[in-house]
Amino acid sequence: MPEPTLCCRAGGDYCDRCDLLVGLPGLHVIAVERDDRDRLVVMVESAAEAMGCRSCGVIVHGHGRVNVHLVD
């Protein structure tokens, strides 16, 4: 039986429980930590999936990721 307190991410996949807790559709939790000001920092990413142009259907490729800092 798996350890009940172990996050699913340890297996290499996204953790559905963490994603559900954060509640940001289309984004997956990859890390959670406290910063030096005792704020909770949650890092999320979108899953890599093939996408195409809506008009011509050509498959696009990524040009890297953009870091966006949101504060609530």
Side-chain angles (χ1 to χ4, degrees):
M1 177 173 197
E3 175 64 39
T5 58
L6 184 63
C7 181
C8 303
R9 183 75 170 161
D13 294 328
Y14 294 117
C15 177
D16 293 336
R17 292 176 286 174
C18 293
D19 295 344
L20 180 64
L21 184 63
V22 172
L24 296 172
L27 297 178
H28 302 286
V29 176
I30 58 171
V32 179
E33 61 190 30
R34 289 235 179 242
D35 68 5
D36 56 347
R37 294 172 55 189
D38 202 34
R39 295 179 297 188
L40 189 63
V41 177
V42 180
M43 288 186 266
V44 297
E45 70 179 8
S46 56
E49 49 187 59
M51 301 189 86
C53 175
R54 290 182 181 158
S55 61
C56 70
V58 171
I59 301 297
V60 299
H61 63 278
H63 297 281
R65 296 212 179 247
V66 177
N67 289 329
V68 178
H69 299 272
L70 305 174
V71 179
D72 182 12

